[in-house]
Amino acid sequence: MNEFDKELIRRAKRGDIEAFTLIVKNYKTYVFQTALGILADRMEAEDVTQDTFVKAFKGLAKLRDVETFPSWLATIATRRAYDAAKEKQKQMSHIEDLDASTVNSTQEHYTGVENRMVLKSLLAGLTPEERTIFVLRELEDKNYQEIADILNIPIGTVRSRLFNARKHIRQLARADEGRNEL
Amino acid sequence: MNCELIGEHLSAYYDKELPPNEMGAVASHLANCDACQEALEEYASIAGLFVQAVKTELPCANLEFSIANQLRQDATEYEMRRIRLSAIATAVALLCLVTGLLVSPVGRTMWRIGSVITREVGVLLTWYQQSSFAIGTIILATVCIGLGVVCFLYLLRVIRKFEPI
């Protein structure tokens, strides 16, 4: 983090919204991509990004060391996206009579955008916890201890969930290849 | 170590999160197992595909402005709540003060002081002798008006501060 960013954070700590707007400009991609990785939905990722920055601004006064701002912000974003993914999963489990045609049309909505399709297909079937751990490891390059600290879970759970996530993604990729060959 | 046992270890090996002795055991297994090598390569290609898919997506250009607007809106609402609370607190304080002055010994003392002042400076305040008001009442009224003016000025200051937002 450069001196200019540190000065912006100090100003934002004193309630300067203009300074915080510049911080948002510098960090929005980082937060958005973390949220997108976990949620695989652009609209939801933008909502989570907005919530993350609003929450960060309100809690900024409590941040003692400005140097830790990026990791502090990433933790807020990850937890917020993880909660949103859990909430979404809960809502989806309540929709029992969702017929196959609805599912197909929802999937077709993404076929136009290759990246989102890749994301959707890679993350389909993973639990919110597995997705979050996978994103923290592959996108944020966090080690197991850091992931365990962010999600407040034991390090052994991180290891097993990550293994399950990879196993699941591999199975999906193979099933996909099988369908393409047919 | 066989392929079934290696499962979770292979994922941790890929992340370089195994203790050195286990890293060695997995590495020696990998040297003789094509299936596990393939799995390891798949981990890397899946990660690459995932990171590429995410990194090419960008948030909307004006996101910082909508966040700034929301923050300003929140600040305005907070200020509104503060004004309402200030107004209520000021009114309650004023009421308590006036009631306190009227019923407490301070009020009675003021009344007596008023009587003494009236007696001593009665000559100077000849107009008072014709009136039916006690000097204590006048002092009390003056204090209340003074407090009212202070409260009004305070509220005016808060409202003026609020207006530019």
Side-chain angles (χ1 to χ4, degrees), chain B residues 33-47:
Chain B
C33 181
D34 291 342
C36 287
Q37 271 184 29
E38 195 188 326
L40 205 64
E41 282 163 18
E42 276 181 20
Y43 285 168
S45 64
I46 286 166

Side-chain angles (χ1 to χ4, degrees), chain A residues 61-164:
Chain A
K62 290 177 203 155
L63 181 72
R64 286 180 186 172
D65 184 6
V66 291
E67 295 271 356
T68 61
F69 178 77
S71 58
W72 177 74
L73 188 67
T75 304
I76 297 175
T78 306
R79 286 185 182 156
R80 184 69 198 82
Y82 175 49
D83 288 345
K86 276 199 295 188
E87 188 60 33
K88 191 181 170 185
Q89 193 188 39
K90 208 185 285 176
Q91 282 170 2
M92 289 301 282
S93 68
H94 284 118
I95 306 168
E96 289 172 351
D97 55 349
L98 192 70
D99 62 21
S101 62
T102 317
V103 174
N104 286 340
S105 67
T106 312
Q107 283 171 349
E108 275 164 16
H109 176 70
Y110 292 97
T111 53
V113 188
E114 198 183 337
N115 284 331
R116 277 167 230 166
M117 195 179 73
V118 169
L119 276 178
K120 279 264 168 192
S121 60
L122 281 179
L123 301 173
L126 298 188
T127 65
E129 197 179 36
E130 286 169 351
R131 280 182 188 204
T132 308
I133 292 169
F134 186 73
V135 167
L136 286 171
R137 177 63 213 151
E138 301 294 10
L139 195 68
E140 303 282 330
D141 203 27
K142 304 273 187 208
N143 63 36
Y144 287 10
Q145 187 58 58
E146 288 169 330
I147 297 171
D149 291 342
I150 289 171
L151 296 175
N152 290 324
I153 52 174
I155 199 162
T157 309
V158 173
R159 188 166 140 165
S160 60
R161 296 280 191 276
L162 198 51
F163 167 65
N164 286 339

Side-chain angles (χ1 to χ4, degrees), chain B residues 47-69:
Chain B
L49 200 64
F50 174 75
V51 172
Q52 192 190 8
V54 173
K55 293 278 182 189
T56 46
E57 291 281 336
L58 294 171
C60 73
N62 59 356
L63 188 68
E64 60 266 33
F65 299 111
S66 58
I67 290 169
N69 284 340

Side-chain angles (χ1 to χ4, degrees), chain A residues 6-72:
Chain A
K6 284 182 201 167
E7 183 52 34
L8 287 177
I9 294 164
R10 282 188 204 105
R11 277 170 55 194
K13 266 169 81 90
R14 295 192 292 267
D16 186 339
I17 293 175
E18 303 309 320
F20 192 72
T21 307
L22 292 173
I23 295 172
V24 174
K25 196 178 175 186
N26 293 346
Y27 288 90
K28 67 177 178 181
T29 306
Y30 172 61
V31 171
F32 171 76
Q33 288 175 346
T34 301
L36 184 68
I38 295 168
L39 292 158
D41 185 301
R42 204 184 154 80
M43 290 284 282
E44 286 176 17
E46 282 191 350
D47 286 347
V48 164
T49 306
Q50 183 145 349
D51 285 355
T52 300
F53 280 112
V54 170
K55 196 174 173 187
F57 182 74
K58 287 175 181 168
L60 205 53
K62 290 177 203 155
L63 181 72
R64 286 180 186 172
D65 184 6
V66 291
E67 295 271 356
T68 61
F69 178 77
S71 58
W72 177 74

